[in-house]
Amino acid sequence: MFRTICTSFLLSALSLAQQSAAPKALEPGSTAALVEQGDALLGQGKHDEALALYNQALDKSPESYQAQLGAGVALDLKANYSDAREHLEKAIEFAPASSKQQALRALAISYAFEGNAYKASESEMLVFNTRLAKNDSIGAAETCDELA
């Protein structure tokens, strides 16, 4: 049940990252197009195919936040947690400020999948503190709920 909820969160978060950008025609084969195609495949449960597209995107743009996040989520869903966290940590590094919390939460879920509540809470606390500093009490409360 927990894994299903976390999987739903990861896929929703990935979708939200793509929706935040203004819709526009993507150049076929571009990093953004590959990530968008990977997201669609990931949503269909085609983890291997999605990962292949994310890897193609990373070959073109190693610092692509979206490609790092997508690869991390795909690997997480394949239960390849160590490799997933390498990508998720890079996603945190490359994420714009507005997306850093999403990558931190994905990292927390990766640790939770593996049953490492302590490491999961480290990432969640960073999200909590960021939300609290921005006077986002509702968001901070949601993060507290996840920590409980």
Side-chain angles (χ1 to χ4, degrees), residues 12-110:
S12 295
L14 206 54
S15 174
L16 182 61
Q18 294 307 310
Q19 291 174 5
S20 64
K24 58 183 174 185
L26 300 175
E27 182 181 329
S30 68
T31 300
L34 291 168
V35 169
E36 185 175 272
Q37 292 166 357
D39 291 348
L41 290 170
L42 196 62
Q44 297 169 17
K46 298 177 180 178
H47 306 143
D48 291 324
E49 292 99 332
L51 184 58
L53 289 172
Y54 295 133
N55 284 332
Q56 287 179 36
L58 289 169
D59 287 342
K60 291 177 176 269
S61 303
E63 294 185 5
S64 168
Y65 153 73
Q66 292 93 347
Q68 292 289 358
L69 181 66
V73 170
L75 288 163
D76 237 5
L77 294 173
K78 290 171 50 85
N80 189 341
Y81 305 120
S82 178
D83 289 342
R85 285 194 289 271
E86 287 181 28
H87 285 283
L88 294 172
E89 288 170 1
K90 288 178 184 176
I92 292 166
E93 178 184 346
F94 301 138
S98 62
S99 300
K100 202 164 290 280
Q101 289 181 42
Q102 177 189 20
L104 283 164
R105 292 178 82 197
L107 182 63
I109 289 171
S110 179

